Amino acid sequence: MDLFELLNFYVIPGIVLGSIYALGAVGITLIFAILRYAHLAHGDLATFGAFVALACVTGVGVPPLAALPVAILVTAAVAVGIDKVFYEHLRERPKIVTVMASLGIALMLRSVVQVVWGVDTETYSRGIVRPEDYFGLRIRDRELYTVAALIFLVGGLQLFLTRSKWGKAMRAMSDNPNLALLSGIDNKKVVMLTWVIAGGLCAASGFFLGYNTEIKSMMGWHMLLPMFAAAILGGVGRVEGAVLGGLIVGIAEELSVLVIPSEYKAAMAFAILLFMLLVRPTGLLKGKVL
Amino acid sequence: MLELDQLVMDFGKFRAVNNCSFRVGEGSITGLIGPNGAGKTTLFNLIAGAFHPSSGSIRFLGEDVTGLASHQLFHKGLVRTFQIPHEFHKLTALENLMMVPPSQPGESLFSNWFAWRKVSSAERDVERQAYEALDFLELTHVAHEPAGNLSGGQKKLLELGRTMMTDAKLVLLDEPAAGVNRTLLRKLETKIEILNRDRGYTFILIEHDMEMIEKLCAPVICMAEGRVLIEGDFQTVRSNPQVLEAYLGETTGDVA
Amino acid sequence: QADVKIGLLGGVSGPIAAMAPAMVDAAQLAVQQVNEQGGIGDGEKLVGVLGDSACNPQNGTDAATKAVNIEGVSGIVGPHCSGAVLAAAGSVTIPAGIVMITPSGTSPEITGLDDKGTVFRTVPSDDYQGRALARTLKEQGYGKVAVAYLNNDYGTGLANAFKAEYADALGGEITQFAAHEEGKASYRSNLAELAKGGADTLVIFDYGDGTGLTILRQALENGFFEKFVGGDGMKSDAVINELGAENLVSFVASSPVGEKSESLDMFNEAFKGVGGDPDAIFATTSYDAAFLMALALEKAGGKKEGVAAAMLEVSNGTGEAIRPGEWKKAKELIAAGTAIDYKGAAGDHNFDANGDVPGTYALWEVGSSGYEVIMEMK
Amino acid sequence: MKALLSMEGLTGGYGDADILLDVSLHVDADEIVAIVGPNGAGKSTAMKSVFGLLTIRGGKMLFDGDDITRWAPNRIVQRGICYVPQVDNIFREMSIHENLEMGGFLRKGDLSAAYERIYTLFPDLKERYRTPAGSLSGGQRQMVAMGRALMLDPKLLLLDEPTAGLSPKYMEQIFQICRDVRDTGVAILLVEQHAKQALAFADRGYVLAAGRNRHEGSGANLLADREVAEMFLGG
Amino acid sequence: MELLGLVNYALFTAIFIAIYALLALGLNIQWGFAGLFNAGIAGFFAVGAYTSAVLSTPADDGRLGGFDLHFVIGWIGAMLAAALVAWPIGKICLRFRSDYLAIASIGVAEIIRLVIKSEEVLTNGARGINGIPRPAGDIGYTESQIAYLVIVLAVLIVAYVLVERQFNAPWGRMMRAIRDNEHAAKAMGKDVEFRRLEAFIFGAALMGLGGALFAHFNRSITPEAIDPMVATFLVWIMLILGGSGNNRGAILGAAVVWIIWSVSEIATDRLPHEYAIQAKYIRLFLIGLMLQLVLRFRPEGLLPEPLRGDLRGSRRTTKSGADHT
Ligand SMILES: Nc1ncnc2c1ncn2[C@@H]1O[C@H](COP(=O)(O)OP(=O)(O)OP(=O)(O)O)[C@@H](O)[C@H]1O
Ligand SMILES: Nc1ncnc2c1ncn2[C@@H]1O[C@H](COP(=O)(O)OP(=O)(O)OP(=O)(O)O)[C@@H](O)[C@H]1O
Ligand SMILES: [Mg+2]
Ligand SMILES: [Mg+2]
């Protein structure tokens, strides 16, 4: 197998898939680090975001990429709303209670998607898009957009977290919420901010999954486990880690068919994860630093 | 009874315990003092098996115990308290004490299912013993309160209570007095003396309360920056200029 | 006058959520036609009670129990997934003596059920279709093929049957034979693997509104393979809607039809009439299952006890032909005691002793107005 | 003179049981007030009640003219009260420096002078300012906690056993800091088990027992009281 | 007729609840008492179900065995196999922090699921195993359900008594101590690693048994049954809703959640006929919403973890509460 074949058919798809995972994993890792629970509705929130974008595309007729910001805003707002209505009053409770609540939210979101948009497979634009040739590398434009969006969104987020004092406030709150309050940090605002970020990234992740393939009501749920694996792989709380984890899971899944039967592809994320936990229990980058 | 030989503990680049060697005689109450961050607690963690020393060795009752896990050391007769209380927060105060005695029959699934009688009679003994300890520590009224709900001082007392629940040979006490009411502290001092005299327990005691050290401890070891600075009786240690400087503060050596 | 109820159990939520609505609608069409043309017995109304089997045994048995005991149905059409069929049959319908007819449970295990003759299906066991497709491809001069199949009972069953016939019996060459999990976002590396070995044709045993669509899309976009062949699961409207007919010139799919596809046309027209999509996966088998259930009920006089025996009588290849929608005619013939034989949209459904039907299939291609038959398959 | 902080007849507790029973106390500007009492008396609870960290069922609290009984904690901080809890008083996963940073979270502008002040007070901290606070020794944590509180310029400082676990040298130093801080016009309310020392340097003191006010008076008076000495100060 | 139907439905529901209660009980040992975040219930469930299926079905040449043994042997085998599988998993995974353990165990369960689905020689692959004998299965519908219910209830009661006994004994106290503060438990001489493994294996054995009971009831087991939603997350919801740390809570949770799960379908069927399919989606919403409501009003679970004091604890609590104030 020559190098270009390897790149074109295994590595590039892996990077694209990995970018999609990464967008979701960053949100998961933030929620994990700041609010300290596994948010199981993340996948379905991504589905929701993808369908909001679809509504813009089919309803208003804007091009898909223009629908992305709308989807991000709407999903972020919905995420904040969900938190206010359902998670907020569980904050003092053991975290597992919120995990269960998020499972319920996953069902509710899926139900909303299915009732409003139905269960049919949809696309943003009909037909197929063949890749362009860049010096032997075969890439579709939307794959470039996907990777660019990852760089842009996560880079911006990283800047925000490191440059503004909100990044620190988030860490403080995750470390010791009571003391954060006593230091004058408005925990409610921090939580809201977290949800805005996580919700927005979620929508981006769902959107790009749909943009690269199709939009289905169950697509987010199927992505949930690999995204979690990516978040943990990178080290909980580490934004760069989640990106790295997402890319590794994506590329490894694509490369895995070279060595194992393809029906075990889905196990790849976990195999890597288990292996990594054994050698480096804190994740690739040491966990729990934003 | 306990011999430390050239103990070293590194946390990354930071050396918390640096070539510590000393012996603790059977039946003594050794005081361990030193400035904050001197490495006293770390030393306890090493002795009790919570950390593995980077180098050096520990002998306990003539046996090399370096690298044994804490639960194994406990079964050899070594009990410790934590400086920052490690209570079982969802267990009641009473249960916190009742869980301590080693090798209870009820800890094996088999006896729970097939030898319940034996289990429950052992339970009654343990319970009585636990109530005695609570009474002594003036905690009876919170016996059924989850330990997480106790006040800071009560948690420290509970820590201490655990050491009373087992027949220990060596007891490591890490700042038992911090946050404890002085009137009660005087009572505790008496209790430690009794345990030492009548039951033959050996103690190592970390304290910043000079009154307590003076009253109970001989010898006294002062640590600084991970090393043993000086060892001797209380008066010698206290009048040592280095100790004065680093630990007690120049202005006054007497804080009582 | 009491209604006569039948349970329609479908995987409405769960992995085949996208397929279920059309299947349910097709079955409801049969119910509607029955009611429009005189109902059951003395004009009793037939009611289809929908239950969600969610494509797993837990929900499947639960839905079946509710249908049988709470709703008091006289027969069950469904469930949609083999696992749910096996479990619901084993724990509910066989003990309760209720007839079950599944439109999409393709597992060979269903054949061997110790069911006292109460479990039927209108979809042929995977075996028939896989082999028929293999023979047809061979005849059509397809050479080296690669096979990608969904790792569930449907995909595995078809793929294994296809392989047995194509490679082992007919001496064709299968260069790659690989299963995949559903729900992944990218199958390009799978495709790259499948392409190794130089096959120009990819055979996909999957669902055209699920993973199969993604695979087909990615294969087309990246120029893997020249020709594509699908099983009945791939003959879905979603494929045309999402990929565009112009991109599908080299795509063919097999799907069951009756000997004379006249039945199919009748169904197509009727289903379009109620806003349905006749090319939806398993729509025809679902319709047939419900219609057969109604016929059997009519024959048994609306009582569930006789349904199993009646089912064999209304569709065994002998008697006056009844086609989709011809309820009134059927009702009269039954009343007159004449033997009838249902010839359905998805085949003639001549049940064998196991309640299975041998399939008759056609090969379809994508034309200007959707799927069009190229040839009948044997 | 009008009190800076006053608690009037406060009753409340965690959950259903009342821990504080009709507790009243007040702190004037420019004074150090010490609370002493046996373990479990409700001293820490009284402090937490200022920040509304428990259910208050009776009484009210005034600070600088505002009724703060039901305010959100972060608002109270903004208003000028700073609190060092007895336990859990540091951010474990953050470095020493970041802990201080969080202390100054509400402050705008250049904080380097404030950092400098803390680091001169506790040179131990300066050396290791990037160490996560969770790996510090008990006494060092206490320093971080104090440092965090001193980063803000509050009007009132609440200290819950600030000297527990500190070496005699630092204990003296903390008391000295308290006096210095008071002299800059900040009132201090502190809970101490080093009761004799605390009462000796405090302006006034309260003795709490079993959730109620038992004694109050100037530090010297309380020290001289035989009953107080025997019951609460260790004879 | 109508009444008989209701009885049959109730019997069926009760059997399912009992099976799920067994799973929840197993999880309660692991999470409620040892604090082990096992999100791979489906894996042990599957191992149990398939083991018992292989042991008790007649020989079949497509796959492993068919040993045609008595169902009791199958069930014991299921427990042993689940325990055996749990042992290495626990050995490796229990050292992880709780959240990491969760994702690691989900991973292991997914791998188990894929193996079961793909390895035809072992498990007949995607088609599953069929024709598993149901004890007392040859009598009438209702009678057979009653008989099976009696059997599962008996199993459940035995399991409950054993688990409850063990929780109230020093064993349970020790496990809760380990859950609360591992370091202190070690310092107090408890062998934390061994004890965790013990709890993990014991819980897994119960899950395996639950799987076996499920397979025998349905007379078949297919990979579709080990979907994480119905075999893992549902059990978690049951335990947390019922009250983790409380065995009766676990059983009650299983009952309440399954009834919500099942009855919600009857409820949404009241929607107009045209919305029959949408009703099924709305049902998911309803289930999610009910979950939120219960969590809102009973966040500690329906039966919160009791304060397990000494043998006569509860009596004294009230007394001490009185002199406390
Ligand atoms: N887990 C750890 N990681 C890194 N450094 C540590 C760790 N534990 C302790 N240290 C460092 O080791 C030094 C000694 O700590 P130790 O707790 O032994 O002090 P100590 O003598 O008990 O002080 P104190 O009297 O304040 O309790 C401190 O500087 C501390 O920061
Ligand atoms: N979170 C809580 N939930 C329930 N009860 C509590 C809680 N915190 C403290 N208590 C109870 O309130 C009483 C007073 O506790 P508080 O912490 O105020 O005591 P304190 O006077 O500060 O004692 P110490 O000197 O030991 O710190 C104690 O009996 C304790 O058991
Ligand atoms: Mg220390
Ligand atoms: Mg206190």
Side-chain angles (χ1 to χ4, degrees):
Chain A
M1 179 169 52
D2 68 6
L3 179 66
F4 278 113
E5 192 182 328
L6 182 71
L7 288 177
N8 283 334
F9 301 135
Y10 298 87
V11 178
I12 291 177
I15 292 176
V16 176
L17 181 62
S19 305
I20 295 168
Y21 285 158
L23 283 168
V26 170
I28 286 180
T29 212
L30 282 179
I31 295 173
F32 223 139
I34 297 166
L35 307 175
R36 306 225 158 192
Y37 50 80
H39 186 235
L40 298 180
H42 218 75
D44 288 284
L45 198 57
T47 314
F48 178 82
F51 274 96
V52 170
L54 179 70
C56 288
V57 173
T58 54
V60 189
V62 294
L65 279 179
L68 175 61
V70 182
I72 288 181
L73 288 180
V74 172
T75 313
V78 167
V80 172
I82 288 173
D83 176 67
K84 280 260 173 294
V85 179
F86 296 110
Y87 300 156
E88 196 171 75
H89 59 96
L90 298 176
R91 207 145 285 149
E92 304 292 313
R93 301 293 170 183
K95 295 302 175 199
I96 186 72
V97 176
T98 318
V99 177
M100 291 304 125
S102 75
L103 200 55
I105 295 292
L107 295 182
M108 291 164 75
L109 274 172
R110 190 183 310 163
S111 152
V112 167
V113 166
Q114 292 181 333
V115 170
V116 176
W117 287 286
V119 290
D120 292 340
T121 305
E122 308 269 1
T123 42
Y124 290 119
S125 53
R126 201 163 165 271
I128 59 175
V129 182
R130 293 217 160 78
E132 309 276 331
D133 203 308
Y134 298 88
F135 312 109
L137 295 181
R138 292 156 50 80
I139 306 173
R140 298 187 306 161
D141 55 354
R142 51 193 57 185
E143 296 171 354
L144 289 177
Y145 296 142
T146 308
V147 178
L150 173 72
I151 295 170
F152 176 75
L153 289 173
V154 175
L157 174 66
Q158 188 69 345
L159 271 183
F160 172 76
L161 290 181
T162 48
R163 293 294 158 80
S164 79
K165 65 180 184 178
W166 286 105
K168 284 263 164 57
M170 286 176 169
R171 278 181 60 196
M173 196 195 107
S174 91
D175 196 329
N176 189 338
N178 261 329
L179 195 61
L181 266 180
L182 296 177
S183 306
I185 295 170
D186 188 345
N187 286 358
K188 287 202 172 132
K189 242 187 228 163
V190 173
V191 174
M192 206 162 114
L193 199 61
T194 311
W195 280 112
V196 168
I197 295 170
L201 289 174
C202 229
S205 157
F207 170 81
F208 281 109
L209 178 62
Y211 196 35
N212 279 285
T213 58
E214 298 90 27
I215 314 157
K216 299 172 208 151
S217 60
M218 292 290 286
M219 68 187 200
W221 181 250
H222 287 305
M223 281 209 302
L224 186 68
L225 294 183
M227 288 194 308
F228 262 98
I232 299 227
L233 191 65
V236 163
R238 299 291 300 243
V239 172
E240 331 83 276
V243 172
L244 194 63
L247 290 174
I248 290 177
V249 170
I251 295 172
E253 280 194 350
E254 291 298 71
L255 287 181
S256 69
V257 291
L258 288 173
V259 285
I260 54 171
S262 53
E263 59 265 37
Y264 286 109
K265 188 174 178 181
M268 201 56 202
F270 295 109
I272 304 173
L273 181 75
L274 285 173
F275 176 74
M276 204 260 343
L277 282 178
L278 284 178
V279 289
R280 260 191 88 94
T282 49
L284 287 174
L285 307 179
K286 203 164 170 304
K288 271 287 157 58
V289 181
L290 291 181
Chain B
M1 159 173 242
L2 180 75
E3 292 168 56
L4 307 185
D5 189 27
Q6 302 281 323
L7 269 190
V8 175
M9 183 69 206
D10 291 325
F11 294 110
K13 269 186 242 143
F14 184 81
R15 182 158 287 195
V17 174
N18 192 355
N19 272 319
C20 254
S21 308
F22 60 80
R23 291 155 171 265
V24 173
E26 179 126 27
S28 69
I29 303 182
T30 306
L32 193 56
I33 62 172
N36 295 119
K40 306 181 293 294
T41 301
T42 310
L43 198 64
F44 265 23
N45 281 330
L46 292 175
I47 299 174
F51 295 161
H52 291 292
S54 308
S55 70
S57 69
I58 305 168
R59 296 179 71 77
F60 178 55
L61 296 170
E63 187 186 342
D64 188 354
V65 296
T66 328
L68 283 193
S70 12
H71 63 94
Q72 291 166 315
L73 284 162
F74 178 90
H75 288 282
K76 292 190 185 301
L78 187 150
V79 202
R80 57 103 43 116
T81 69
F82 290 91
Q83 177 176 9
I84 295 159
H86 279 42
E87 79 285 354
F88 302 114
H89 55 265
K90 275 198 184 163
L91 269 60
T92 62
L94 184 70
E95 285 180 297
N96 262 271
L97 299 186
M98 286 179 67
M99 68 81 67
V100 176
S103 315
Q104 301 180 32
E107 285 178 2
S108 112
L109 293 184
F110 184 83
S111 5
N112 282 334
W113 294 339
F114 305 111
W116 185 243
R117 205 172 280 266
K118 193 165 111 198
V119 172
S120 47
S121 87
E123 271 296 86
R124 274 192 293 278
D125 287 346
V126 174
E127 193 192 347
R128 189 180 34 74
Q129 205 184 342
Y131 269 115
E132 277 167 20
L134 287 176
D135 277 340
F136 181 79
L137 296 166
E138 301 179 1
L139 291 175
T140 317
H141 63 289
V142 289
H144 298 284
E145 193 71 24
N149 290 353
L150 299 187
S151 79
Q154 288 168 335
K155 286 179 185 170
K156 289 230 65 140
L157 290 171
L158 203 57
E159 277 285 332
L160 195 65
R162 292 206 287 230
T163 65
M164 303 178 181
M165 291 297 296
T166 168
D167 273 321
K169 300 198 176 78
L170 175 62
V171 183
L172 309 178
L173 299 178
D174 198 344
E175 301 197 16
V180 171
N181 179 265
R182 297 297 118 164
T183 309
L184 182 53
L185 185 60
R186 300 288 97 89
K187 240 176 93 184
L188 292 181
E189 287 165 358
T190 325
K191 175 79 175 181
I192 290 174
E193 274 181 328
I194 292 173
L195 285 175
N196 177 250
R197 205 176 46 221
D198 300 348
R199 306 262 288 270
Y201 288 17
T202 307
F203 286 90
I204 308 181
L205 179 70
I206 300 181
E207 244 321 319
H208 292 302
D209 184 281
M210 288 304 114
E211 236 178 294
M212 187 171 180
I213 292 280
E214 178 172 15
K215 197 153 155 197
L216 291 178
C217 301
V220 173
I221 298 173
C222 181
M223 285 179 71
E225 302 188 343
R227 298 168 187 277
V228 175
L229 202 61
I230 179 175
E231 177 174 353
D233 63 32
F234 182 70
Q235 291 307 329
T236 339
V237 172
R238 182 167 69 173
S239 46
N240 181 298
Q242 273 174 297
V243 176
L244 273 176
E245 220 253 58
Y247 183 55
L248 299 171
E250 300 92 326
T251 45
T252 164
D254 192 346
V255 288
Chain C
Q1 218 172 19
D3 296 343
V4 177
K5 289 182 179 175
I6 56 173
L8 308 177
L9 304 190
V12 180
S13 64
I16 62 155
M19 290 157 49
M23 296 167 70
V24 171
D25 288 346
Q28 291 284 20
L29 170 65
V31 172
Q32 186 188 332
Q33 288 173 338
V34 168
N35 289 332
E36 280 166 1
Q37 301 177 30
I40 300 263
D42 312 327
E44 284 153 43
K45 200 171 153 223
L46 186 63
V47 175
V49 186
L50 183 59
D52 182 9
S53 63
C55 222
N56 64 50
Q58 284 89 337
N59 284 301
T61 49
D62 181 46
T65 304
K66 280 184 283 200
V68 169
N69 295 308
I70 301 288
E71 302 288 354
V73 299
S74 310
I76 285 181
V77 176
H80 289 170
C81 302
S82 301
V85 173
L86 289 170
S91 69
V92 186
T93 60
I94 299 175
I98 297 285
V99 171
M100 173 191 270
I101 177 165
T102 171
S104 56
T106 53
S107 169
E109 293 288 327
I110 295 174
T111 307
L113 268 180
D114 176 17
D115 58 5
K116 306 187 186 85
T118 56
V119 179
F120 297 86
R121 53 180 159 183
T122 52
V123 65
S125 169
D126 302 323
D127 233 37
Y128 300 106
Q129 185 184 177
R131 288 177 187 274
L133 186 61
R135 281 191 297 271
T136 310
L137 291 193
K138 197 77 197 153
E139 258 166 42
Q140 294 259 302
Y142 282 78
K144 290 199 261 185
V145 301
V147 178
Y149 61 95
L150 181 62
N151 192 17
N152 72 358
D153 60 292
Y154 171 74
T156 323
L158 272 176
N160 284 333
F162 179 83
K163 186 178 171 194
E165 187 74 12
Y166 196 78
D168 304 345
L170 302 171
E173 188 179 349
I174 296 181
T175 55
Q176 298 280 337
F177 187 76
H180 53 260
E181 270 296 295
E182 68 177 333
K184 294 269 125 195
S186 166
Y187 292 95
R188 271 182 285 181
S189 56
N190 300 46
L191 286 164
E193 283 296 301
L194 288 163
K196 287 178 185 167
D200 61 353
T201 305
L202 177 64
V203 183
I204 307 172
F205 295 118
D206 199 328
Y207 302 121
D209 48 11
T211 307
L213 176 58
T214 314
I215 291 186
L216 189 56
R217 168 195 299 277
Q218 292 180 338
L220 286 167
E221 287 178 341
N222 292 286
F224 294 111
F225 302 102
E226 284 155 27
K227 291 181 275 184
F228 302 92
V229 178
D232 51 351
M234 286 301 289
K235 184 187 152 272
S236 154
D237 235 26
V239 173
I240 303 180
N241 286 342
E242 305 308 341
L243 300 179
E246 65 280 11
N247 295 314
L248 294 169
V249 285
S250 58
F251 171 65
V252 295
S254 68
S255 183
V257 281
E259 256 162 38
K260 286 205 196 87
S261 46
E262 193 185 319
S263 285
L264 182 57
D265 295 337
M266 292 170 78
F267 164 74
N268 283 356
E269 205 163 306
F271 200 37
K272 276 191 198 129
V274 295
D277 163 22
D279 282 334
I281 305 163
F282 295 128
T284 49
T285 51
S286 297
Y287 174 85
D288 289 349
F291 204 81
L292 273 166
M293 180 60 79
L295 288 173
L297 274 170
E298 179 72 23
K299 180 104 187 164
K303 281 194 281 300
K304 59 187 168 198
E305 287 74 21
V307 174
M311 189 68 85
L312 288 170
E313 287 170 25
V314 295
S315 191
N316 55 9
T318 56
E320 186 107 6
I322 297 293
R323 296 187 189 283
E326 296 180 337
W327 176 255
K328 201 161 175 202
K329 176 176 165 197
K331 201 171 156 62
E332 283 158 7
L333 289 174
I334 291 172
T338 318
I340 58 167
D341 176 36
Y342 180 64
K343 297 207 176 300
D348 295 348
H349 303 307
N350 298 331
F351 293 113
D352 65 12
N354 293 319
D356 280 358
V357 289
T360 36
Y361 291 87
L363 201 59
W364 306 68
E365 66 182 356
V366 179
S368 52
S369 59
Y371 289 98
E372 291 165 6
V373 176
I374 319 171
M375 61 174 295
E376 305 265 317
M377 308 195 327
K378 289 188 284 307
Chain D
M1 196 186 117
K2 207 166 162 303
L4 183 64
L5 174 77
S6 66
M7 237 178 242
E8 293 163 17
L10 219 56
T11 300
Y14 315 88
D16 298 333
D18 281 335
I19 307 284
L20 295 180
L21 301 162
D22 198 18
V23 172
S24 300
L25 52 83
H26 66 97
V27 185
D28 295 335
D30 301 338
E31 81 173 339
I32 298 180
V33 176
I35 307 179
V36 300
N39 294 118
K43 306 182 293 298
S44 305
T45 307
M47 284 213 160
K48 286 187 218 166
S49 69
V50 174
F51 279 86
L53 299 177
L54 48 115
T55 329
I56 294 173
R57 272 179 285 265
K60 64 174 177 177
M61 234 161 350
L62 297 174
F63 178 70
D64 210 3
D66 293 334
D67 184 345
I68 58 167
T69 321
R70 310 231 171 272
W71 282 25
N74 55 323
R75 196 161 157 220
I76 298 179
V77 181
Q78 235 152 355
R79 190 72 181 73
I81 308 185
C82 217
Y83 170 40
V84 181
Q86 179 178 11
V87 288
D88 252 350
N89 48 17
I90 51 164
F91 296 109
R92 289 157 192 268
E93 284 160 19
M94 301 176 92
S95 69
I96 294 179
H97 194 78
E98 285 168 330
N99 265 277
L100 299 184
E101 228 178 308
M102 285 301 114
F105 187 79
L106 288 175
R107 268 172 79 167
K108 308 229 156 47
D110 189 19
L111 294 180
S112 49
Y115 291 124
E116 210 39 56
R117 173 164 155 242
I118 310 283
Y119 287 135
T120 26
L121 285 176
F122 305 110
D124 299 33
L125 297 187
K126 181 164 191 180
E127 259 169 60
R128 306 188 56 202
Y129 72 100
R130 289 168 76 166
T131 318
S135 70
L136 294 176
S137 82
Q140 290 166 333
R141 290 175 186 219
Q142 206 61 37
M143 298 177 205
V144 173
M146 271 299 278
R148 188 193 62 83
L150 293 175
M151 282 297 294
L152 266 186
D153 267 333
K155 295 199 181 107
L156 171 67
L157 203 50
L158 304 185
L159 305 175
D160 198 345
E161 304 207 17
T163 64
L166 286 181
S167 71
K169 174 177 157 184
Y170 274 115
M171 186 169 93
E172 271 310 303
Q173 206 167 324
I174 293 277
F175 288 152
Q176 188 56 46
I177 293 169
C178 288
R179 279 186 288 257
D180 294 347
V181 167
R182 189 244 335 250
D183 294 341
T184 63
V186 179
I188 295 179
L189 175 65
L190 82 167
V191 169
E192 262 303 336
Q193 289 297 0
H194 291 113
K196 286 185 196 166
Q197 294 93 323
L199 288 177
F201 92 98
D203 298 303
R204 284 189 306 112
Y206 290 90
V207 178
L208 285 191
R212 294 178 191 277
N213 288 80
R214 279 290 278 273
H215 300 271
E216 61 178 288
S218 75
N221 281 349
L222 286 177
L223 273 179
D225 188 320
R226 271 200 54 102
E227 188 205 330
V228 172
E230 229 168 72
M231 299 275 301
F232 306 115
L233 309 180
Chain E
M1 178 64 224
E2 185 78 334
L3 183 67
L4 184 62
L6 277 177
V7 169
N8 274 327
Y9 174 60
L11 285 172
F12 171 87
T13 307
I15 292 171
F16 250 65
I17 289 173
I19 291 173
Y20 269 103
L22 216 49
L23 298 177
L25 218 50
L27 183 62
N28 199 21
I29 300 175
Q30 297 181 338
W31 170 255
F33 277 71
L36 303 171
F37 200 149
N38 174 15
I41 302 166
F44 302 114
F45 174 86
V47 168
Y50 271 92
T51 307
S52 190
V54 166
L55 289 178
S56 58
T57 46
D60 181 339
D61 41 38
R63 58 172 164 88
L64 179 68
F67 295 105
D68 211 3
L69 298 169
H70 194 264
F71 73 89
V72 174
I73 299 179
W75 291 1
I76 294 172
M79 284 201 278
L80 288 180
L84 218 60
V85 169
W87 185 68
I89 295 174
K91 255 314 199 214
I92 296 171
C93 295
L94 290 187
R95 69 179 94 163
F96 302 145
R97 274 191 22 202
S98 78
D99 314 331
Y100 290 19
L101 173 62
I103 194 88
S105 54
I106 286 191
V108 171
E110 276 299 285
I111 292 171
I112 291 179
R113 188 176 70 86
L114 287 175
V115 169
I116 283 178
K117 214 168 156 182
S118 310
E119 300 307 318
E120 291 194 14
V121 283
L122 215 58
T123 58
N124 206 18
R127 291 172 180 178
I129 296 179
N130 202 17
I132 306 170
R134 185 205 275 188
D138 295 333
I139 46 186
Y141 178 39
T142 311
E143 294 85 338
S144 145
Q145 289 215 78
I146 293 177
Y148 203 73
L149 180 61
V150 170
I151 295 173
V152 249
L153 278 185
V155 171
L156 179 65
I157 289 170
V158 170
Y160 169 78
V161 168
L162 290 186
V163 176
E164 183 71 16
R165 163 76 62 90
Q166 157 191 354
F167 279 5
N168 286 323
W171 192 93
R173 185 167 66 214
M174 175 176 58
M175 292 317 293
R176 284 178 294 133
I178 291 173
R179 177 188 68 184
D180 274 5
N181 194 325
E182 160 182 359
H183 298 293
K186 272 188 198 151
M188 294 301 120
K190 310 302 178 206
D191 187 345
V192 172
E193 264 132 60
F194 170 74
R195 293 305 183 171
R196 283 201 171 142
L197 195 58
E198 193 179 42
F200 190 68
I201 289 178
F202 187 42
L206 279 188
M207 293 171 184
L209 182 59
L213 292 179
F214 179 80
H216 284 261
F217 179 55
N218 286 336
R219 294 189 169 98
S220 71
I221 181 74
T222 48
E224 288 157 9
I226 36 183
D227 177 69
M229 186 67 222
V230 283
T232 295
F233 293 133
L234 191 59
V235 182
W236 267 100
I237 295 178
M238 288 167 171
L239 180 65
I240 300 303
L241 216 86
S244 83
N246 185 327
N247 290 322
R248 260 167 280 172
I251 295 172
L252 180 66
V256 170
V257 173
W258 183 258
I259 287 171
I260 291 179
W261 197 264
S262 178
V263 172
S264 62
E265 184 165 26
I266 302 178
T268 49
D269 280 348
R270 303 289 155 244
L271 281 173
H273 187 63
E274 309 86 87
Y275 298 110
I277 290 178
Q278 275 79 1
K280 304 299 167 194
Y281 309 145
I282 293 172
R283 170 184 176 211
L284 280 189
F285 191 86
L286 214 63
I287 292 170
L289 192 66
M290 297 285 265
L291 183 59
Q292 307 297 341
L293 289 180
V294 180
L295 290 177
R296 164 145 232 158
F297 295 108
R298 296 304 295 255
E300 300 99 344
L302 298 169
L303 297 178
E305 176 170 0
L307 256 180
R308 289 162 200 266
D310 53 288
L311 300 172
R312 285 147 293 171
S314 51
R315 192 155 43 83
R316 288 203 192 165
T317 312
T318 39
K319 189 180 126 240
S320 79
D323 57 21
H324 179 64
T325 40

